[in-house]
Amino acid sequence: MRKLSVLTLGAIAVVAASGVVGCSSDDDGGGSGGASGSGGASGSAGTAGSGGSSGSAGSAGSAGTSSGGSAGSAGAGSGGTSGASAGGSAGAGGSAGAAGTGGTAGTGTGGTGGGSNLVPRIVFRSSTDPTATGGVGDFEIWSMDPDGTNRVQLTDDDIYQASPDYSKDGTRIVYTADVGTMGNADNDIWVMNVDGTGKINITSGRTNIDSQPAFSPDGTSIAFTSRVSGTERPILTMSSNGSNISPFTTGKGTAGEPDWVGDTIYYASNSAGNWDIWAKKVTDSTNGTNLTAANTQTQQGPAVSPDGTKILYYGPVSDSDTDLEVWVMDIDGSNPVQLTDNSTLDRDPDWSPDGTQIVYTSDAAGTEDIWVMDANGANAKNLTADLSTGVERDASWGMVTP
């Protein structure tokens, strides 16, 4: 979830970037035998011998959980071609488990892409930097565990850096950085590994202010905002090397804070006069659908729930209210529910990967900190209370490689 400033928001753009999502399988799959292994549904009498084509056991087994069985919940054991156990199609190993040590792809604990080894982390920006020389406006990118512990400072560049977002495969972070002299308003989009190494400026050479990036679900593209002119900030698309720039939306106004889910980008825009939450398919030739057109209050910072049924956002309770609260609504923009109720600024919400909690920014403790609460707004907790000398914002919650 990328964070919107009404004064500095630019237009969303999409950047192709490489990334592969996969799962892995560490379980052993190949043994001495045939297609079923020792544990089939018909008991211990296999159709062939221990070295035969079907293995030393029956074809399906009682629950299929032994080290054989062509179908059960554990399946293919030592060498089976289709079971689900060590190397099998659905269990703790690989998806085909054809004979090798571990399935070829699988959805279990091992595998070619490493999905189950990911751990939850929160990435954010902070002005707390023990080595800072940039003064006011120096923000660095940090990450931490969901309980606020094990913090790691990922950048140390003494410049403005903001709006970090994890790739869905848990290997990269995309963020905004103010290149050159701090405060020169020449922001670019950068990508780095989750441990802070391998920083690359992917919009170098552009004179626009590029900010608020968000990865596509498959990690091959990035949506971001870019100021084309003082009043016109359309959504743009471009390849990862900065070429092939083309319009994504048309008309005047400002758009930002994209959240890319499936084939749709959810974003905030004032193109209809009010700040609203919009949804636009990547292939749509129009400007998409205004989900909050019936609401006269400001709505910004959309974040779609992991199950795709809800949208978090922030905005005031009334037109005259100067406070900001965190809200949730149905995916079609209906049934808005207020989750926070403070005389402060609560904003920039994002979901936990399992959808049970929400991370957000609040100055309820006097300075802006990263907070977490349950999905219904209960049990709010300040995760960065000890960083009282700094400002923490722009939290994004993801699953990353350890």
Side-chain angles (χ1 to χ4, degrees):
M1 243 285 306
R2 302 345 85 211
K3 315 311 165 199
L4 178 63
S5 167
V6 175
L7 297 178
T8 62
L9 184 63
I12 301 177
V14 179
V15 185
S18 63
V20 178
V21 179
C23 302
S24 67
S25 177
D26 292 331
D27 294 335
D28 294 334
S32 59
S36 292
S38 62
S42 299
S44 61
T47 58
S50 62
S53 63
S54 296
S56 61
S59 62
S62 64
T65 58
S66 61
S67 60
S70 61
S73 63
S78 53
T81 59
S82 57
S85 176
S89 66
S95 69
T101 304
T104 57
T107 57
T109 58
T112 56
S116 67
N117 292 325
L118 302 181
V119 297
R121 293 283 284 179
I122 294 173
V123 65
F124 62 101
R125 64 161 160 145
S126 175
S127 63
T128 301
D129 180 5
T131 63
T133 60
V136 177
D138 175 13
F139 280 91
E140 304 292 344
I141 306 299
W142 290 64
S143 69
M144 63 183 172
D145 287 345
D147 62 358
T149 62
N150 297 321
R151 295 192 194 111
V152 178
Q153 184 176 341
L154 301 176
T155 64
D156 189 12
D157 303 314
D158 294 339
I159 58 175
Y160 173 85
Q161 294 162 106
S163 304
D165 181 52
Y166 283 123
S167 62
K168 299 304 183 289
D169 66 356
T171 62
R172 293 168 296 158
I173 296 171
V174 63
Y175 63 103
T176 298
D178 188 356
V179 298
T181 304
M182 187 176 64
N184 65 1
D186 187 16
N187 294 353
D188 285 331
I189 306 300
W190 291 66
V191 174
M192 63 180 170
N193 298 325
V194 293
D195 62 358
T197 63
K199 299 180 182 70
I200 301 174
N201 185 344
I202 60 176
T203 58
S204 177
R206 287 170 51 82
T207 58
N208 308 75
I209 298 176
D210 300 327
S211 62
Q212 302 174 351
F215 276 109
S216 64
D218 63 3
T220 62
S221 302
I222 296 170
F224 70 100
T225 70
S226 183
R227 178 183 293 178
V228 176
S229 67
T231 58
E232 184 178 358
R233 304 175 187 182
I235 300 172
L236 308 175
T237 64
M238 66 180 176
S239 63
S240 60
N241 63 3
S243 63
N244 303 318
I245 297 175
S246 59
F248 186 66
T249 61
T250 59
K252 303 294 183 180
T254 296
E257 298 175 296
D259 188 24
W260 197 333
V261 179
D263 62 353
T264 303
I265 296 175
Y266 296 82
Y267 62 98
S269 176
N270 65 357
S271 59
N274 186 55
W275 281 104
D276 290 303
I277 306 300
W278 291 68
K280 173 178 165 29
K281 291 186 179 298
V282 176
T283 57
D284 194 346
S285 60
T286 71
N287 283 336
T289 301
N290 186 344
L291 301 178
T292 57
N295 193 337
T296 61
Q297 283 79 49
T298 292
Q299 294 91 192
Q300 296 175 249
V304 178
S305 61
D307 64 3
T309 64
K310 302 287 185 180
I311 300 176
L312 289 171
Y313 65 97
Y314 67 91
V317 176
S318 65
D319 291 335
S320 60
D321 193 356
T322 58
D323 300 330
L324 296 175
E325 308 293 349
V326 175
W327 300 69
V328 65
M329 63 182 177
D330 291 343
I331 194 68
D332 62 358
S334 62
N335 301 318
V337 176
Q338 183 180 342
L339 297 179
T340 62
D341 187 9
N342 301 309
S343 299
T344 56
L345 301 179
D346 300 328
R347 58 182 180 177
D348 304 339
D350 193 22
W351 297 93
S352 64
D354 62 4
T356 63
Q357 291 182 294
I358 296 166
V359 65
Y360 63 104
T361 298
S362 176
D363 62 357
T367 60
E368 289 182 290
D369 289 301
I370 305 302
W371 290 65
V372 66
M373 63 182 171
D374 294 343
N376 63 359
N379 300 317
K381 178 184 178 182
N382 188 344
L383 299 182
T384 57
D386 58 309
L387 301 180
S388 58
T389 60
V391 172
E392 284 70 52
R393 299 173 182 164
D394 300 357
S396 178
W397 202 331
M399 299 294 291
V400 306
T401 53

